Amino acid sequence: MKVSHFKLSMFLECPLKYKFYYIDELKKYCKPKPYQSMGISIHRALEAFFKQGTRTMNTLHSLLRKHWVREGYSGREEERIWGLKALSMLRNFYEANNVQINPIMLESEFSVSFPDFTLTGRIDRVDKLHEGYEVIDYKTGEKLTKESCDNDLQMTMYSIGFYHTHKSIPDQLTFHFLKDNTRITTRRNKEDIEKGIGFIKATVEKMKNETKFHPKPNKFCSFCDFTILCPVFISK
């Protein structure tokens, strides 16, 4: 059984949504959303950008156009609005950061095997520091609080993946919020990694043994693709 952050977080968010998506295999009916397409486009553009020998603002904009995902928009006007948002984020990124740095990893996948499952993920970027490593995760959505970053499951999973791959714990885990070009750095130690593994194992066990898959109303319900099937919404 392969387990990603997306899969784990969906089960924790709402067991019924998880059932619809993974067990009933209804994910083919999920429609791309504008913010998802924009986020994918920006990630692909930044990955390609840091592989370039010459890195200019024009290069970055050209790469965004090249890797632009044209799905999920209601029409050309909505696509244009999201495109301008993406261009603004990348312009601010270029002007405020060292774009000549050479990351040692870009969009790097990891796979960690445990007895009952395989933990998988993809790390946006890793930089070599003077001493140690910095894992960087680009965020195109709203800024998180420092507390949320310190407790973020995805960053814990990145630490697990990096540790098992490189036999070294990242010295810094940095969320780079592209919307306002700010960064929040957090850390995980060996104890945090062991706790994270324990939490993931316990959650996977619940996923395997779940039989009722009750809906769990939450702040993301309005974005759910399965409201037409959900008893919470049908009963309203």
Side-chain angles (χ1 to χ4, degrees):
M1 178 182 184
K2 289 186 177 181
V3 176
S4 64
H5 174 259
F6 183 81
K7 194 171 190 176
L8 279 173
S9 61
M10 184 179 291
F11 179 79
L12 292 168
E13 176 190 314
C14 178
L16 182 59
K17 182 179 180 180
Y18 170 86
K19 177 180 180 294
F20 287 148
Y21 193 93
Y22 284 104
I23 298 176
D24 298 335
E25 298 184 346
L26 299 180
K27 60 182 178 181
K28 58 181 176 287
Y29 297 109
C30 295
K31 297 180 180 180
K33 297 175 176 58
Y35 66 87
Q36 294 171 331
S37 293
M38 183 195 70
I40 293 170
S41 304
I42 287 177
H43 277 73
R44 290 177 179 174
L46 286 172
E47 177 190 7
F49 180 70
F50 280 106
K51 292 179 179 179
Q52 303 292 312
T54 302
R55 301 171 192 164
T56 66
M57 187 71 252
N58 287 337
T59 301
L60 186 52
H61 281 186
S62 295
L63 289 169
L64 177 65
R65 287 191 289 270
K66 179 180 179 180
H67 294 282
W68 185 252
V69 179
R70 305 195 68 178
E71 297 178 341
Y73 306 104
S74 60
R76 288 191 175 184
E77 179 59 21
E78 184 178 42
E79 183 179 354
R80 185 186 72 84
I81 291 171
W82 284 94
L84 290 174
K85 289 180 181 179
L87 286 172
S88 177
M89 288 185 195
L90 292 181
R91 185 180 301 111
N92 291 337
F93 177 89
Y94 183 89
E95 293 174 351
N97 295 277
N98 176 13
V99 297
Q100 302 308 321
I101 194 168
N102 292 309
I104 64 169
M105 294 169 60
L106 289 167
E107 297 297 329
S108 179
E109 296 182 352
F110 64 82
S111 178
V112 182
S113 296
F114 292 95
D116 298 321
F117 65 95
T118 300
L119 189 67
T120 63
R122 182 193 298 267
I123 299 174
D124 291 345
R125 173 178 152 192
V126 177
D127 290 351
K128 182 70 174 72
L129 304 174
H130 180 66
E131 292 184 6
Y133 301 92
E134 179 183 24
V135 170
I136 298 173
D137 188 45
Y138 299 123
K139 295 294 186 186
T140 55
E142 297 301 320
K143 186 176 181 179
L144 302 176
T145 64
K146 180 62 166 63
E147 181 180 5
S148 295
C149 293
D150 288 339
N151 294 292
D152 185 79
L153 177 60
Q154 189 171 27
M155 273 300 198
T156 300
M157 291 175 66
Y158 288 167
S159 296
I160 295 168
F162 190 87
Y163 177 74
H164 280 263
T165 304
H166 293 80
K167 308 305 177 186
S168 174
I169 297 174
D171 295 80
Q172 296 182 22
L173 304 167
T174 299
F175 293 86
H176 193 137
F177 299 97
L178 297 172
K179 192 173 182 179
D180 62 358
N181 197 42
T182 57
R183 294 159 56 98
I184 295 179
T185 295
T186 182
R187 291 171 176 79
R188 303 288 187 273
N189 56 32
K190 187 67 178 297
E191 182 181 357
D192 295 325
I193 288 176
E194 292 301 325
K195 285 182 179 179
I197 291 173
F199 177 79
I200 292 168
K201 286 181 176 180
T203 304
V204 171
E205 192 64 22
K206 289 179 182 178
M207 291 163 65
K208 288 182 174 181
N209 295 325
E210 182 63 69
T211 57
K212 296 183 178 179
F213 297 99
H214 291 301
K216 185 191 293 186
N218 60 78
K219 64 180 181 180
F220 301 111
C221 283
S222 59
F223 300 100
C224 184
D225 292 286
F226 306 118
T227 52
I228 193 173
L229 302 173
C230 180
V232 172
F233 285 83
I234 292 174
S235 62
K236 289 184 179 181

